[in-house]
Amino acid sequence: MSRWDGIDEFTAVAEQASFSAAARRLGLSTSAVSREIARLEDRLQTRLLHRTTRRVELTDAGRDFLARCRRLIDERDEALAAVQPDDQAPRGLLRMTCSVSYGERFIAPAVNAFARQNPELRIELDLDNRLRDLVGDGYDLAVRFGHLTDSRLMARRLASRRLILCASPDYLARRGAPRDLSEIASHDGLIGSAEHWRFTEAGREVSLRPTGRWRCNSGAAVLDAALQGLGLCQLPDFYVAEALASGALVSLLDDQRPPDEGVWAVHPHPRHVPPKVRAMIDWLHESLAQRSPA
């Protein structure tokens, strides 16, 4: 009996939440899948799954074991792929994370197109504004912005994004436009997830903490508040490009705009980039070059 016996079956059942669906995915009978998992639990002397007539749920031990099994299976599959010809299609599980708004607008469409062309690849795309620990949480790839600080990660620049200070014509008619950075403090700031706004002054980067009576951690909500004349906002270009083009918003202090931020693909494999990760990064680079606003 191999120490691997039951691991593929357990992982499939956990991911499908169904013995029959897992059996179809693995090309086995439902009874064979159930038997292998029972043997695995006997060897571990630990219950991994709660089984009822209507559903399958992971135990606490099962949830922890699943994360470890996924990594084992991925590393096994990557090791096998590494000695196969380079033209092998990406396969296995690819776990990714990105911020919500950018992910919905740019990353998810690109990932969906990649998935359509690579049917042997399973993808989990986690859209979350929290900065996830790629190594600890078992992610293969993340899309991040600005300055990168985690030395455990390798990075490739995919695109750029620009931060733009702007307001509606209605607000500016009532309050006037700031002529320099010192006047921003006297305006109503629409505060999003960033505590500070970034600018360039006399050739160096500076940051200001905006003040105002309105705050929300959603860029779309900040944009709506600006369109309704509630104050100044600083948002990435993809949020405001359409409103600027139509005149619904007016760009301010363009000569003091901060340097463009990098959009990065980062991954926790400094020595060997798995083929599925390398292929996805190449795809995202090409896709974002076509989609990102100028």
Side-chain angles (χ1 to χ4, degrees):
M1 177 181 297
S2 168
R3 293 172 65 86
W4 280 95
D5 288 351
I7 288 180
D8 286 287
E9 291 84 353
F10 163 71
T11 303
V13 169
E15 291 177 347
Q16 299 290 322
S18 165
F19 277 83
S20 58
R24 287 193 296 271
R25 191 172 100 180
L26 296 172
L28 301 172
S29 67
T30 302
S31 60
V33 170
S34 179
R35 184 169 56 251
E36 288 300 326
I37 293 176
R39 289 173 176 170
L40 177 63
E41 289 178 323
D42 286 343
R43 292 203 310 275
L44 298 175
Q45 296 186 342
T46 302
R47 181 171 291 275
L48 302 172
L49 299 167
H50 290 303
R51 305 162 176 82
T52 69
T53 56
R54 303 184 64 179
R55 60 191 306 176
V56 178
E57 294 182 345
L58 288 164
T59 64
D60 290 342
R63 276 187 290 272
D64 180 67
F65 190 60
L66 175 62
R68 298 172 184 273
C69 286
R70 280 172 166 162
R71 288 195 289 270
L72 284 171
I73 290 171
D74 287 347
E75 289 175 4
R76 179 198 65 189
D77 292 346
E78 288 161 12
L80 293 173
V83 297
Q84 293 177 334
D86 290 338
D87 60 356
Q88 289 289 318
R91 57 174 52 85
L93 176 64
L94 177 64
R95 301 188 70 230
M96 301 176 55
T97 181
C98 180
S99 64
V100 176
S101 296
Y102 197 87
E104 289 176 342
R105 180 155 183 174
F106 295 106
I107 301 303
V111 168
N112 293 342
F114 187 78
R116 187 171 61 247
Q117 295 195 16
N118 295 277
E120 295 184 58
L121 184 67
R122 294 178 290 122
I123 298 173
E124 291 184 7
L125 177 58
D126 183 4
L127 300 184
D128 191 335
N129 290 332
R130 293 174 295 169
L131 195 65
R132 306 303 295 264
D133 179 356
L134 300 196
V135 176
D137 294 338
Y139 287 99
D140 299 292
L141 179 64
V143 176
R144 290 183 176 168
F145 311 96
H147 302 290
L148 304 176
T149 59
D150 193 335
S151 61
R152 298 174 301 171
L153 305 179
M154 297 293 289
R156 178 179 174 185
R157 192 177 183 118
L158 301 175
S160 298
R161 71 172 188 176
R162 184 173 301 159
L163 292 174
I164 299 177
L165 181 73
C166 53
S168 72
D170 173 64
Y171 176 85
L172 296 175
R174 289 185 284 110
R175 299 289 301 276
R179 292 169 294 183
D180 56 46
L181 298 185
S182 67
E183 295 189 359
I184 290 179
S186 65
H187 282 268
D188 295 327
L190 302 174
I191 306 170
S193 57
E195 293 290 336
H196 294 82
W197 291 351
R198 296 172 47 229
F199 300 94
T200 300
E201 186 174 49
R204 62 186 181 88
E205 289 191 49
V206 298
S207 64
L208 299 176
R209 191 182 186 96
T211 59
R213 62 186 179 90
W214 193 99
R215 177 189 294 267
C216 182
N217 64 351
S218 163
V222 173
L223 171 62
D224 185 70
L227 291 170
Q228 294 196 42
L230 295 182
L232 307 180
C233 71
Q234 188 183 63
L235 285 171
D237 46 10
F238 69 89
Y239 279 109
V240 299
E242 184 177 338
L244 292 173
S246 70
L249 291 178
V250 177
S251 181
L252 303 167
L253 301 179
D254 290 346
D255 59 339
Q256 294 183 286
R257 184 179 294 159
D260 291 357
E261 292 184 327
V263 179
W264 304 91
V266 298
H267 58 88
H269 296 278
R271 294 185 179 179
H272 169 66
V273 183
K276 63 185 178 183
V277 173
R278 183 171 59 248
M280 178 62 81
I281 292 174
D282 290 343
W283 182 271
L284 291 176
H285 184 269
E286 182 177 350
S287 298
L288 293 181
Q290 298 172 1
R291 289 178 173 269
S292 295

